[in-house]
Amino acid sequence: MWFQSSRSQPSRKRWLRSALTALAFVVAGGVAACPICLNDRAFTLGQKLDAADRAILAVPVAGEGRFRIAEVVKGEAAVNDILTGLVNGIGATASQDGKPLLLVSFGPVGRWSSLGAIGSEYAGWLRQLTAFGHAGPSRPMPAWPQVAEKSSEFAAAEWRERVALVVPYLEDPEPLVAEIAYGEFARAPYDAQRSVRAQLTAMQIADWIADPKLASRRATYTLLLGIVGTSDDAARLEQRIEAALASHDTTDLAALLAADLELRGPSRVGWIETAYFEDRSRTMPEIEAALLALSVHGSADAKVPRQRVIEAYRFFMRERKPMAGFVAPQLTDWEYWDATPDFVALLKENAIPDPASHFAVLTYLNRSPHLAAKAALESLADKSQ
């Protein structure tokens, strides 16, 4: 996710792009996914299930190259009906160990696609999972693949229910179930993730973190360790952070810092300010990781109050003027407008050379209710004519 300082320009653009995308989701009324866990995922299997018009479990009909519906998960279909033709190029031999295939279809007459093999005993769980978003306060679901462009489709309360439903299936022996569960947990807002404390143990999560086969999930599970861990876990996390600080290693650094903040609380924010924002030896990826960890906590506004994160952002703006635009989208998201004079002053100083950062600041000022913001924008418009 992060690169060394020699590649800081692409890294900076990626950070701003992610931040501006998150801002767009909030403006549209969504609940932001946890950016540490979501990373660069285009979409999850759970999102495909959400967006599908129909979802079924189907078994091959021996020697006929067709499928018979064994379970209806979602939409209009009937058990024992026969599907004719191939399933997006997958023949009847695709099921494994006699398990049905989980098939989805987009549109009323869309072609079936396979998400993989899964035991019939999980049909009820899948029905519970696909029931979200079809009742209650959530807004209508978008059509796939547009769903991949959204960070969340559910209200905060629904997300907590959804997370509670998938957490028992994290690293389930059934591979497809484990993948669905992990994907849904990873794309949930951090506030919803924090609600699972009673469902998991620190020992479970530590085992997952240590498992090399789960390396791609380590950042998420590190974040989760911060939620359910103990003071001993905090001490071990801080040893890893100190080692990373000494070597400038950014592997899972945002997750480590966010987990540490969850376990230690607001007292660690000042340390991040000194170690990452004030220290001029820090690389761009290290700074990004620190900002990302803070943004997760600021959005949750729980163990570390949002106001303390905002104070850290203001400190960052003073210490790293050319990068001040990095925090503009988040401050816009939170409708915190007291930074308006600071951003106006930075524009007057031409202190923000990067176009993406500059645009993020202009977006902030455009939404700010302060008169100084309007005056600054009008002045910029006059100069551009």
Side-chain angles (χ1 to χ4, degrees):
M1 179 177 177
W2 300 289
F3 295 84
Q4 297 304 314
S5 57
S6 62
R7 299 178 65 181
S8 62
Q9 185 67 19
S11 185
R12 179 187 302 130
K13 290 180 179 178
R14 186 167 54 257
W15 166 268
L16 264 298
R17 182 169 61 248
S18 299
L20 289 170
T21 302
L23 173 60
F25 295 149
V26 173
V27 172
V31 180
C34 175
I36 292 175
C37 304
L38 195 63
N39 205 339
D40 294 326
R41 282 176 170 267
F43 50 85
T44 67
L45 294 181
Q47 285 175 297
K48 287 188 176 183
L49 282 170
D50 288 337
D53 292 279
R54 296 177 293 170
I56 60 172
L57 301 187
V59 294
V61 178
E64 297 185 22
R66 297 182 298 167
F67 290 90
R68 176 179 59 81
I69 298 176
E71 297 277 357
V72 177
V73 173
K74 177 183 179 182
E76 297 296 326
V79 172
N80 291 325
D81 274 4
I82 301 296
L83 306 180
T84 59
L86 298 177
V87 178
N88 270 6
I90 299 175
T93 59
S95 67
Q96 303 166 5
D97 302 324
K99 295 176 184 177
L101 293 178
L102 174 56
L103 305 181
V104 293
S105 174
F106 304 98
V109 292
R111 193 174 187 183
W112 294 100
S113 298
S114 175
L115 300 185
I118 188 171
S120 295
E121 64 271 23
Y122 294 96
W125 178 70
L126 291 170
R127 281 190 282 268
Q128 286 181 278
L129 190 63
T130 59
F132 286 95
H134 298 279
S138 295
R139 62 185 185 277
M141 296 290 294
W144 185 84
Q146 284 83 358
V147 68
E149 300 171 4
K150 309 186 79 65
S151 61
S152 172
E153 300 85 34
F154 306 105
E158 276 188 297
W159 263 121
R160 287 190 289 273
E161 293 178 30
R162 192 176 180 96
V163 165
L165 180 65
V166 301
V167 160
Y169 296 90
L170 289 173
E171 304 316 318
D172 189 88
E174 183 76 87
L176 188 63
V177 171
E179 185 177 352
I180 292 171
Y182 174 79
E184 293 312 283
F185 182 84
R187 75 183 183 105
Y190 183 62
D191 182 60
Q193 293 174 345
R194 294 181 76 250
S195 67
V196 307
R197 281 188 175 86
Q199 293 181 264
L200 294 167
T201 67
M203 186 176 296
Q204 277 180 291
I205 300 164
D207 287 343
W208 295 341
I209 292 171
D211 189 342
K213 293 181 292 186
L214 301 177
S216 64
R217 302 178 181 180
R218 191 169 51 217
T220 299
Y221 290 149
T222 298
L223 193 69
L224 188 52
L225 183 62
I227 294 170
V228 305
T230 65
S231 57
D232 289 340
D233 294 306
R236 284 188 285 270
L237 286 170
E238 285 167 16
Q239 288 176 354
R240 291 181 61 189
I241 291 170
E242 290 293 343
L245 198 69
S247 63
H248 297 279
D249 182 14
T250 56
T251 305
D252 300 326
L253 180 57
L256 288 167
L257 292 172
D260 184 51
L261 286 168
E262 183 68 41
L263 286 166
R264 296 300 198 196
S267 63
R268 288 290 280 178
V269 177
W271 178 83
I272 288 177
E273 291 173 339
T274 301
Y276 290 95
F277 301 159
E278 192 173 7
D279 184 351
R280 287 301 189 269
S281 73
R282 293 302 118 202
T283 64
M284 180 73 73
E286 289 176 285
I287 295 168
E288 289 180 357
L291 288 172
L292 192 55
L294 288 169
S295 74
V296 165
H297 281 279
S299 294
D301 195 16
K303 187 63 175 285
V304 178
R306 178 176 297 172
Q307 184 56 45
R308 182 63 187 94
V309 174
I310 289 173
E311 291 171 9
Y313 280 4
R314 300 290 294 272
F315 181 89
F316 173 79
M317 291 168 62
R318 293 191 297 271
E319 289 294 319
R320 306 277 185 168
K321 290 183 179 182
M323 304 179 198
F326 280 35
V327 301
Q330 195 77 76
L331 295 176
T332 306
D333 168 0
W334 297 335
E335 297 185 343
Y336 177 82
W337 308 120
D338 287 353
T340 297
D342 299 326
F343 281 126
V344 170
L346 290 169
L347 290 182
K348 289 181 178 179
E349 295 172 21
N350 291 319
I352 305 175
D354 180 68
S357 298
H358 195 267
F359 175 74
V361 172
L362 293 180
T363 301
Y364 174 94
L365 294 176
N366 189 52
R367 292 195 59 199
S368 172
H370 289 209
L371 294 177
K374 310 307 176 189
L377 292 173
E378 289 174 2
S379 175
L380 287 171
D382 292 340
K383 290 179 181 178
S384 66
Q385 292 177 356

